[in-house]
Amino acid sequence: MAIVMSVMAFAQMFADAGVSNALIHKQNISQQQLSSLYWLNVTSSTVLALILFALGYGVAYYYRQPQLHLLLSMTALSLLLSSFGLQLRVLAQKALHFDRLAKVEMVGATAGFLTATTSAWLGCGVYSIVFGNLASATAILAMSWTTLANGWRPELRLDWTEIRPFLKFGAYMVGNDLANTINGQIDVLLGGRILSSTTLGLYNLPKSLAIRIQLLVNPIITKVGFPVMAKVQHDPQQLRLIYLNTLNLTASVNFPIYAAMAFFAEPIVVLVFGKQWLEAVPIMQILAIWAAVRSTANPIGSLLLAKGRADLSFRWNIALLGIVPPTIWIGSHFGAIGMAYALLASQLLLFVPGWYFLIRPMCGATLRQTLTQFLRPSIASLFFLGIALIGSAYTNKALHILLAAAGSLAALLMATYPLWASLGIRLRKSG
């Protein structure tokens, strides 16, 4: 399933021809353009589903896993279902209707979870995850049209002249997402060929957990930050302020969580995966640090897209293709831990160049201003979780998770205090 999701990650970037972010960046869009963009999305997703079905045999042969063809074909169907409601969700994000989006996503997540766990209990094995994905996509599609459409229906039209300005932006986005996905999935794709399936699973479990935390936390922040930054894209001072606040909040929420993952890796592995996965403990500790640094890159993407600079993001990720895959290739020859160290090394080495080439020219933030956003979250996380770690030495393992949670909460409150204090001052002034 790790291989299936990696292949699907490549397919998803082509699903809407890269124009979803253009919908948020561009402030004035006609109803005719919306209809043409809607059918472009549906058409491209349909073509992709057919291509995935045709290529399934080749993928199964390459990885020497016959099940992959059916798994990939069934998962492609969820991609097609998602395309019929994607534009509605993008427009809701642009309008900051996150209350409605929350209802849609909660219903989808619940449907997927219940279907997957029921299927697993009935003995469906790996297909349980596929059934869960299909149920989630179906529920989200139904909720999107009942909750987000507001009576809108697309006209049956696909006029290329109407959407030409979006296609240039979209072309850069597709190229950017392709390069970014290669860099993000190259470890699994290479590891699937070099390592055994058991070793790959040992590596992929903690990585998936680390990524899922980001998928839970970061979209809450960046889905708001992106459209807000797009609205002030021509005001450098406001744009810099919003970006730095977004970066600070991202670090403040993520750093305590990942510090807890690193400090309390063993009880977390036992609790989430079971004792049979104890070999994954050192891998989780390395990937927790990697994920903490990686989590700060999401606001950069929002900043670039808000400014309409998909081309700059594309060039950056193309340049990374000369760095990340070779690093992962070398690390993969040292097993799962080698790949984890390779990921961490590449992420740390790219931090300063990322500021110089991406952040500085877009909003004028200095390196000191950027690093300052990490200082309070880092100190708070290390201090409170350090105390929790010392305390865990004098308790049984059943209390480790409670101590980790308490330390993470204390670090989170300490790190985000300036933001809440500032918000309280503004509310009192406005009140």
Side-chain angles (χ1 to χ4, degrees):
M1 198 60 198
I3 295 172
V4 170
M5 298 312 295
S6 293
V7 174
M8 289 303 299
F10 283 96
Q12 286 172 346
M13 73 185 70
F14 297 99
D16 68 341
V19 300
S20 290
N21 290 312
L23 282 170
I24 298 177
H25 165 66
K26 294 184 180 295
Q27 299 301 301
N28 298 309
I29 306 173
S30 68
Q31 292 300 315
Q32 291 78 16
Q33 287 176 316
L34 286 176
S35 295
S36 291
L37 289 169
Y38 178 86
W39 291 113
L40 172 66
N41 180 21
V42 172
T43 302
S44 60
S45 295
T46 303
V47 172
L48 275 174
L50 294 173
I51 291 174
L52 286 171
F53 179 81
L55 292 179
Y57 290 107
V59 175
Y61 175 79
Y62 177 77
Y63 286 108
R64 300 184 292 273
Q65 297 285 345
Q67 286 189 88
L68 277 174
H69 178 248
L70 182 57
L71 286 170
L72 191 59
S73 300
M74 294 175 65
T75 307
L77 181 59
S78 65
L79 178 68
L80 179 59
L81 289 171
S82 177
S83 69
F84 285 93
L86 177 61
Q87 184 169 290
L88 298 175
R89 298 192 295 276
V90 172
L91 292 176
Q93 179 186 348
K94 181 177 182 177
L96 306 181
H97 292 157
F98 295 103
D99 52 342
R100 301 178 189 176
L101 277 172
K103 295 175 183 177
V104 172
E105 293 174 359
M106 287 173 65
V107 170
T110 302
F113 173 77
L114 292 176
T115 302
T117 50
T118 302
S119 301
W121 182 72
L122 293 173
C124 296
V126 70
Y127 291 95
S128 304
I129 306 175
V130 178
F131 295 152
N133 288 339
L134 288 171
S136 178
T138 303
I140 288 175
L141 173 60
M143 285 292 295
S144 295
W145 281 105
T146 56
T147 307
L148 306 177
N150 294 323
W152 178 81
R153 295 294 184 272
E155 302 174 18
L156 192 59
R157 60 186 296 139
L158 183 55
D159 190 336
W160 295 102
T161 60
E162 293 177 343
I163 59 177
R164 186 174 293 122
F166 295 87
L167 293 178
K168 182 179 179 181
F169 188 103
Y172 276 118
M173 280 305 306
V174 169
N176 172 74
D177 290 345
L178 177 60
N180 189 41
T181 304
I182 291 174
N183 290 324
Q185 299 293 331
I186 194 66
D187 51 347
V188 174
L189 295 174
L190 288 176
R193 184 68 178 178
I194 297 173
L195 306 177
S196 68
S197 58
T198 302
T199 304
L200 181 62
L202 191 70
Y203 169 85
N204 194 63
L205 277 177
K207 183 190 176 185
S208 296
L209 178 61
I211 293 297
R212 283 185 179 276
I213 291 172
Q214 287 186 26
L215 292 178
L216 175 67
V217 173
N218 285 14
I220 299 173
I221 302 169
T222 57
K223 280 185 178 181
V224 178
F226 176 23
V228 171
M229 281 190 266
K231 293 180 184 297
V232 299
Q233 58 185 282
H234 302 298
D235 186 340
Q237 185 175 356
Q238 281 294 320
L239 183 62
R240 179 170 60 253
L241 179 62
I242 294 172
Y243 167 73
L244 290 175
N245 282 336
T246 303
L247 181 61
N248 179 265
L249 188 56
T250 303
S252 297
V253 176
N254 281 297
F255 280 19
I257 298 173
Y258 287 122
M261 283 184 63
F263 286 178
F264 297 91
E266 182 176 343
I268 290 175
V269 166
V270 172
L271 177 67
V272 178
F273 304 126
K275 293 182 178 180
Q276 68 272 26
W277 292 99
L278 280 174
E279 291 182 69
V281 168
I283 299 173
M284 176 177 283
Q285 291 173 324
I286 300 167
L287 292 179
I289 303 172
W290 162 78
V293 180
R294 183 181 185 273
S295 68
T296 62
N298 288 112
I300 301 177
S302 298
L303 175 64
L304 293 172
L305 296 179
K307 292 286 289 183
R309 293 304 305 273
D311 59 325
L312 182 57
S313 182
F314 168 68
R315 290 194 200 74
W316 171 257
N317 281 295
I318 287 294
L320 296 189
L321 287 176
I323 301 173
V324 177
T327 305
I328 298 299
W329 174 260
I330 295 172
S332 65
H333 288 81
F334 296 91
I337 288 185
M339 285 206 301
Y341 274 120
L343 271 184
L344 175 58
S346 60
Q347 196 70 52
L348 292 173
L349 290 172
L350 292 170
F351 182 81
V352 174
W355 162 79
Y356 185 82
F357 291 107
L358 303 178
I359 301 172
R360 183 184 60 89
M362 289 297 101
C363 67
T366 65
L367 181 59
R368 181 178 180 180
Q369 288 175 321
T370 304
L371 290 173
T372 299
Q373 309 311 312
F374 307 140
L375 185 60
R376 183 182 293 270
S378 300
I379 293 175
S381 300
L382 294 175
F383 178 75
F384 285 104
L385 284 163
I387 293 175
L389 182 64
I390 294 172
S392 69
Y394 300 97
T395 62
N396 58 54
K397 291 187 177 181
L399 295 177
H400 284 194
I401 299 298
L402 292 177
L403 286 168
S408 297
L409 179 60
L412 174 61
L413 293 175
M414 177 67 179
T416 57
Y417 173 76
L419 292 175
W420 308 130
S422 175
L423 178 61
I425 292 172
R426 292 180 184 179
L427 289 175
R428 284 195 296 271
K429 286 183 178 179
S430 63

